[in-house]
Amino acid sequence: MKGFAKSSICEGIGGNGIIVKMFRWKPFRLSLPTIVALFLLLPLQARAAPRYEIIATFDQSGHRISGAELVYFDNISNVPLSEIDLFLYPNIYLEKEPLEKLDLVQKAYPRAFNPGQMTLSAVQNGEGQDLIYLYEKSFSIIRVFLQKPLLPGERGRLRIFFTTLIPEKWGTFGHYRGATYLQGGWHPYLAALSKNGWDTKSPPAKSDFQILLTLDQHLDAVATGTLRIAGKHGREKVLLLEGKEIPYYTLVITRGYRETTVKKNQATIVYT
């Protein structure tokens, strides 16, 4: 392969007063091993992490979160994507456990079984056009059918309108005695994407989040990422929540949250 190398520099001033540098070049040749080595040293095109932009409202009396989200992602697979797989995590609490697990139900629900649920009012593409989607048997996964395939390397965008009903139960997802714990996905999120397409058996990809959450002014929140008050409207306040490179955005919402930090033996312990 023939290339060109710099041999000397001539410097002058152009008509507009800007310094102009002109290079004289001389030809040279690269061997094939050198070309391969240089190619391997080239930086790969950076792939952006999936991103969720969410506007939501928390209704404490109704124990629900309603909102809309924009989901951005790159097709990092080697195949065109004609559909997008989404998890609706709260729907794993839609039905009571089988009879052989009745003791688990009794331990998880302080009063009686009551379902958790996520419903969707619309799923749209980046142009705002409604898309067709189909629930899997468990109702915890849906397949959204695209109007045209998303090719490898292309960027996709979805707009989703959702409502999440939070069950009264102990554990990482539920509410009890005024505290609400939301871990595992309180909004629709993408399934993992492998080289061969969607992989619903693997954990979701680490993602970036930006969330505007409206809630009662007397409630406090603890979040996976950063949190600050973005504004107040009457008896409500708006929180700006952000997180980077995390698989889920976990929230705890309660009244009168207190945090105590204790340092002992070079370790920091936080009590909440």
Side-chain angles (χ1 to χ4, degrees):
M1 175 181 177
K2 181 182 288 187
F4 294 88
K6 261 186 304 188
S7 58
S8 63
I9 300 176
C10 296
E11 184 173 289
I13 299 179
N16 56 2
I18 298 176
I19 294 177
V20 178
K21 293 185 179 181
M22 296 178 292
F23 300 91
R24 295 193 181 96
W25 306 87
K26 62 181 180 180
F28 68 96
R29 292 185 179 275
L30 290 177
S31 65
L32 182 59
T34 303
I35 295 172
V36 173
L38 288 173
F39 178 80
L40 293 175
L41 290 174
L42 290 174
L44 297 176
Q45 182 178 1
R47 299 291 188 183
R51 178 175 175 83
Y52 298 87
E53 297 179 0
I54 305 172
I55 299 177
T57 299
F58 174 68
D59 175 10
Q60 186 186 29
S61 60
H63 305 295
R64 68 185 67 226
I65 291 183
S66 300
E69 69 174 355
L70 286 174
V71 184
Y72 301 86
F73 67 98
D74 291 333
N75 181 4
I76 60 173
S77 75
N78 296 331
V79 297
L81 299 175
S82 58
E83 62 185 47
I84 298 175
D85 288 2
L86 294 172
F87 270 114
L88 310 184
Y89 175 76
N91 286 348
I92 70 171
Y93 302 106
L94 192 55
E95 298 179 354
K96 187 185 293 188
E97 294 284 352
L99 290 177
E100 61 267 20
K101 297 182 179 180
L102 186 59
D103 58 328
L104 297 179
V105 175
Q106 294 171 343
K107 291 177 181 178
Y109 297 88
R111 304 179 192 274
F113 171 78
N114 59 108
Q117 186 179 13
M118 181 185 289
T119 56
L120 306 181
S121 56
V123 180
Q124 300 174 342
N125 62 15
E127 288 72 44
Q129 299 169 321
D130 289 336
L131 299 176
I132 297 173
Y133 56 91
L134 179 68
Y135 285 87
E136 294 291 291
K137 282 186 177 181
S138 65
F139 292 96
S140 60
I141 299 175
I142 66 166
R143 299 188 185 278
V144 181
F145 299 99
L146 300 176
Q147 294 175 332
K148 63 177 183 178
L150 188 69
L151 300 179
E154 289 187 337
R155 190 152 180 80
R157 184 175 73 167
L158 288 180
R159 180 185 289 114
I160 308 169
F161 299 86
F162 68 94
T163 298
T164 297
L165 178 64
I166 305 161
E168 183 184 24
K169 64 180 290 293
W170 291 304
T172 57
F173 192 90
H175 72 86
Y176 183 63
R177 290 186 177 178
T180 301
Y181 302 89
L182 301 173
Q183 183 177 345
W186 48 270
H187 59 90
Y189 63 88
L190 296 166
L193 186 56
S194 69
K195 292 182 179 180
N196 299 319
W198 298 107
D199 179 5
T200 58
K201 296 182 180 180
S202 297
K206 292 183 178 180
S207 306
D208 297 338
F209 294 83
Q210 187 175 64
I211 304 165
L212 284 175
L213 178 66
T214 300
L215 69 170
D216 185 274
Q217 63 177 344
H218 299 296
L219 294 175
D220 297 311
V222 184
T224 304
T226 61
L227 178 156
R228 65 181 177 86
I229 296 177
K232 294 184 178 181
H233 304 283
R235 297 183 178 181
E236 296 179 325
K237 62 183 176 184
V238 181
L239 302 180
L240 173 60
L241 313 169
E242 294 181 297
K244 284 189 173 295
E245 296 186 350
I246 50 178
Y248 311 102
Y249 201 95
T250 298
L251 277 174
V252 178
I253 301 173
T254 186
R255 185 185 296 265
Y257 168 80
R258 294 292 182 270
E259 183 178 281
T260 303
T261 301
V262 177
K263 292 187 177 181
K264 185 177 181 181
N265 297 332
Q266 299 182 342
T268 301
I269 304 172
V270 179
Y271 297 92
T272 60

